[in-house]
Amino acid sequence: ADSTAWVSRLAQMAGDAEVYGRGIRYLKRCLHANGGVATYDSPIGIRRFLGDPPISLRGWCSPHVCVTAAAAWLPGIGCYGPVRDYLRSAQQADGRWIGYWWDGSAYPTWLAVEALRGWGDGDRARRAAEWAGAVGEEDTAWKLACRMGVLQGAAPPEMAVRLLAMQQTDGSWPGSAAL
């Protein structure tokens, strides 16, 4: 569902109602009653792809903050009150959100804040910004950039300096989106 959410977002921006509609239909199958969105709607496809591993895939079919937050931006998903409630209830006391798939909290927090800002939930976004602004030494450009996304242009200048210093001579930044 996380990949489907991103492609559906692109389809919406491109005005492709057919692709968007198919994506939303799949995402609704991944939407649980508690408002969380699971990565997969069923373990059948996962087992087929992985060669029927002798492991539980329950976690892959359970709701996750990082997947829910990615889908919450989309009309047709984020409009459901339970999705908002799920994200609001998953915020940690320090202001961040913890994802299932991601190493670190920067990415799921950035996605959750984007959804909350769209819903006018400034208090929770402010708490997340306090967490993001209290950055220590980030070990990757990815995490630092996601934290800066939470701060929406209000990042301390030293964060931008650190991020720019990580750029490689060929213009790229080192890959590091660890799952």
Side-chain angles (χ1 to χ4, degrees):
D2 42 0
S3 298
T4 301
W6 284 106
V7 174
S8 296
R9 185 176 166 97
L10 177 62
Q12 178 196 24
M13 289 188 299
D16 191 328
E18 182 182 340
V19 170
Y20 179 77
R22 286 196 317 259
I24 291 297
R25 284 191 293 279
Y26 177 76
L27 290 169
K28 285 181 178 178
R29 289 198 313 266
C30 297
L31 182 62
H32 286 235
N34 69 354
V37 178
T39 305
Y40 293 94
D41 65 333
S42 152
I44 295 168
I46 307 166
R47 290 200 178 282
R48 187 173 37 242
F49 177 74
L50 296 176
D52 200 21
I55 59 172
S56 170
L57 299 172
R58 188 170 133 182
W60 295 24
C61 298
S62 298
H64 306 301
V65 168
C66 48
V67 179
T68 304
W73 297 5
L74 296 165
I77 298 296
C79 62
Y80 295 110
V83 173
R84 293 179 212 166
D85 294 342
Y86 178 84
L87 286 177
R88 288 174 177 146
S89 71
Q91 188 174 25
Q92 303 298 298
D94 63 2
R96 67 190 166 111
W97 281 263
I98 298 171
Y100 180 81
W101 294 107
W102 294 90
D103 172 32
S105 297
Y107 178 70
T109 299
W110 169 56
L111 294 179
V113 164
E114 288 299 313
L116 291 167
R117 281 189 179 123
W119 299 326
D121 201 334
D123 182 53
R124 289 183 183 276
R126 186 175 25 74
R127 285 181 38 220
E130 289 170 5
W131 170 80
V135 68
E137 284 299 315
E138 290 296 338
D139 58 347
T140 70
W142 170 252
K143 291 177 184 176
L144 185 55
C146 288
R147 279 186 183 248
M148 290 177 73
V150 171
L151 294 167
Q152 287 270 309
E158 60 270 15
M159 288 177 90
V161 169
R162 283 193 14 245
L163 182 61
L164 292 173
M166 293 179 189
Q167 189 176 25
Q168 300 176 111
T169 57
D170 68 358
S172 67
W173 275 263
S176 62
L179 300 174

